[in-house]
Amino acid sequence: MDPKQLLKEHIAKTAKLSENEFDDFFECFTAKSYKKGAYIITAGERIDCEYFVVSGCIKTFYVNDNQKMFVLQFAMPSCWASDYSALYSGTRATISIGCITDTELLCLSNNARESACRKFHQVEHFFRTRMTGEYVASQKRLLSTMNNDVKYRYEELITLFPELYNMVPKRLIAAYLGVSRETLYRLNNT
Amino acid sequence: MDPKQLLKEHIAKTAKLSENEFDDFFECFTAKSYKKGAYIITAGERIDCEYFVVSGCIKTFYVNDNQKMFVLQFAMPSCWASDYSALYSGTRATISIGCITDTELLCLSNNARESACRKFHQVEHFFRTRMTGEYVASQKRLLSTMNNDVKYRYEELITLFPELYNMVPKRLIAAYLGVSRETLYRLNNT
DNA sequence: CAAAAGATGTGATCTGCATCACACAATTTA
DNA sequence: TAAATTGTGTGATGCAGATCACATCTTTTG
């Protein structure tokens, strides 16, 4: 799908921008494409952008001192991703973003977002609504992690995003659920 | 401290409102006080407000089908709390809010927030910034939960909020960390 | 297309935390 | 201030999930 059209429809769900305003806002974005396996953000780097996924699938993840990986998010088309902590505080990234499939993105720099928010009240409204939604989703996931066992959360995840079942290696789904791949495998027999 | 002054200084950190604008915005809030042990929101109710803590300490929590409690947040002065999922989607609350100590609050209804956001670009900016911060904090907590053992997370919590150590029963701290009170107790001997 | 790299099955063993049970201390409330 | 409620200390026991080890099977790449 056309990146501009996808973004337009995505934003239209929460904000009312005129044609001209949207065109102006869209100027802030840069299109990029990546091959499967490529890194978009590497932990330790300075970063400047957040990303809107146009096609493909990416993962946002943290790797701890023992090389154990935790997946924070699988981002499909119309999702956003970045290390927001690093982006807003200007510190180095502590999480990485990598491509699970070939991927097309629209990049928006921190400065460009902030000036678009200043220029267009509706852009600021869009990002407020978006962040509120992310916060709510994150709280829900935290609660589910504390409250439900792995099997339940696995089924919950696959129900919510059935595409993941075939698109993403089980290893990464385990890393999203915070369990070992062996444990995830054994759920089937239980 | 004077509620109005506390809110004013809190908001001034992220948004620029003139005296008149702030006065106008402040009209949206209603002051309330509660006794220790009182409920501010009870799961199952319809809700209409978010709350800014002026004095005291409150807890946001979820109780599952087995009566097990999970604490999502301890809110101290200058913190905000609500069931944002219910508030934004208009559904019934799934979490409750209760007072750990006597508490003074400023209540802001969903409608009042939304119209203030429409009226004042800077108010929308304030809430965008606030929600971004909440999202980042929530992601950090999720990661820490998956990555670190209970002892580490307990120390992390007490370092971040030393007041909690004496103000809040250990039972509730355990419910925040997602472990049993027995386990929390045994950490001291390890 | 052959070799290397990555993903998935499967067993054996170890461990952190839950759960149950009960004693005692501290704080509310009548 | 006595009784009731709520919080904390401590042992015994059980289980979900981690870790290690190794055997396929599948996909990528030279």
Side-chain angles (χ1 to χ4, degrees):
Chain A
M1 192 187 196
D2 174 49
K4 187 167 179 178
Q5 191 57 27
L6 188 69
L7 182 66
K8 189 171 189 172
E9 289 175 14
H10 172 70
I11 290 180
K13 285 175 193 158
T14 40
K16 289 181 197 351
L17 286 174
S18 71
E19 288 287 328
N20 283 342
E21 287 170 338
F22 179 75
D23 288 347
D24 193 343
F25 179 44
F26 188 72
E27 290 297 308
C28 301
F29 290 83
T30 318
K32 285 203 179 178
S33 41
Y34 293 84
K35 288 284 166 198
K36 178 174 178 175
Y39 278 67
I40 297 163
I41 289 179
T42 306
E45 285 178 353
R46 296 209 173 278
I47 59 165
D48 188 48
C49 290
E50 64 187 302
Y51 302 91
F52 175 76
V53 179
V54 173
S55 69
C57 178
I58 65 180
K59 62 175 190 286
T60 305
F61 62 101
Y62 172 76
V63 179
N64 75 7
D65 300 341
N66 305 319
Q67 305 307 313
K68 190 165 165 180
M69 174 192 287
F70 299 92
V71 173
L72 286 167
Q73 179 195 17
F74 295 112
M76 318 288 279
S78 291
C79 291
W80 295 79
S82 190
D83 180 343
Y84 288 98
S85 177
L87 198 58
Y88 276 79
S89 66
T91 51
R92 286 171 191 278
T94 55
I95 64 175
S96 306
I97 302 184
C99 298
I100 294 177
T101 65
D102 291 358
T103 299
E104 294 176 282
L105 301 172
L106 291 174
C107 313
L108 177 64
S109 78
N110 204 48
N111 286 340
R113 176 182 9 80
E114 290 305 313
S115 50
C117 281
R118 256 177 269 121
K119 191 164 177 189
F120 303 116
H121 191 150
Q122 281 294 301
V123 170
E124 183 113 50
H125 178 71
F126 167 75
F127 281 105
R128 173 172 70 93
T129 307
R130 183 169 108 58
M131 281 306 175
T132 304
E134 300 275 22
Y135 173 51
V136 167
S138 178
Q139 290 270 294
K140 282 216 169 92
R141 178 170 170 198
L142 180 68
L143 249 190
S144 186
T145 301
M146 295 203 290
N147 191 20
N148 302 120
D149 65 19
V150 184
K151 181 160 195 172
Y152 183 93
R153 285 156 48 218
Y154 181 41
E155 284 160 5
E156 184 179 55
L157 179 70
I158 296 302
T159 306
L160 211 53
F161 308 102
E163 323 85 287
L164 291 179
Y165 189 80
N166 290 312
M167 187 183 294
V168 173
K170 301 285 169 289
R171 201 191 100 238
L172 291 182
I173 293 184
Y176 178 93
L177 297 171
V179 296
S180 67
R181 56 163 206 91
E182 293 94 329
T183 296
L184 186 69
Y185 163 71
R186 286 187 241 270
L187 295 181
N188 302 318
N189 318 328
T190 315
Chain B
M1 193 184 193
D2 174 51
K4 187 166 179 178
Q5 191 57 28
L6 188 69
L7 182 66
K8 189 173 188 169
E9 288 176 15
H10 173 68
I11 289 180
K13 284 176 194 158
T14 40
K16 291 182 200 343
L17 286 173
S18 70
E19 289 287 327
N20 284 341
E21 286 170 339
F22 179 75
D23 288 348
D24 192 343
F25 179 44
F26 187 72
E27 290 297 309
C28 301
F29 290 82
T30 319
K32 285 203 180 180
S33 42
Y34 293 84
K35 287 284 165 198
K36 178 175 178 175
Y39 278 66
I40 297 163
I41 289 179
T42 307
E45 285 177 352
R46 295 209 174 279
I47 60 164
D48 187 49
C49 289
E50 64 187 303
Y51 302 91
F52 175 76
V53 179
V54 173
S55 70
C57 179
I58 64 180
K59 60 175 191 287
T60 305
F61 63 100
Y62 172 78
V63 179
N64 76 5
D65 300 341
N66 305 321
Q67 305 308 313
K68 189 164 165 181
M69 174 193 286
F70 298 93
V71 172
L72 286 166
Q73 180 195 15
F74 295 112
M76 319 288 278
S78 291
C79 291
W80 295 79
S82 190
D83 180 341
Y84 287 98
S85 177
L87 198 58
Y88 276 79
S89 66
T91 52
R92 286 172 191 278
T94 56
I95 62 174
S96 306
I97 302 184
C99 297
I100 295 177
T101 64
D102 291 358
T103 299
E104 294 177 283
L105 300 172
L106 292 173
C107 313
L108 177 64
S109 79
N110 204 48
N111 287 340
R113 176 182 9 80
E114 291 305 313
S115 52
C117 280
R118 256 178 268 120
K119 190 165 177 188
F120 302 116
H121 191 151
Q122 281 293 302
V123 169
E124 184 113 49
H125 178 71
F126 167 75
F127 281 106
R128 172 173 70 94
T129 307
R130 183 168 108 58
M131 281 306 176
T132 304
E134 301 274 23
Y135 173 51
V136 167
S138 177
Q139 290 270 297
K140 281 216 168 93
R141 180 170 168 198
L142 180 66
L143 249 190
S144 186
T145 301
M146 295 203 290
N147 192 19
N148 302 119
D149 65 19
V150 184
K151 181 158 195 172
Y152 182 92
R153 285 157 48 219
Y154 181 41
E155 284 159 5
E156 184 178 55
L157 179 69
I158 296 302
T159 306
L160 212 52
F161 307 101
E163 323 84 289
L164 292 179
Y165 190 82
N166 290 312
M167 188 182 295
V168 174
K170 302 284 170 288
R171 201 191 101 238
L172 292 181
I173 293 183
Y176 178 94
L177 297 171
V179 295
S180 67
R181 58 162 204 91
E182 293 94 330
T183 296
L184 185 69
Y185 162 69
R186 287 186 241 269
L187 295 180
N188 303 317
N189 317 329
T190 316

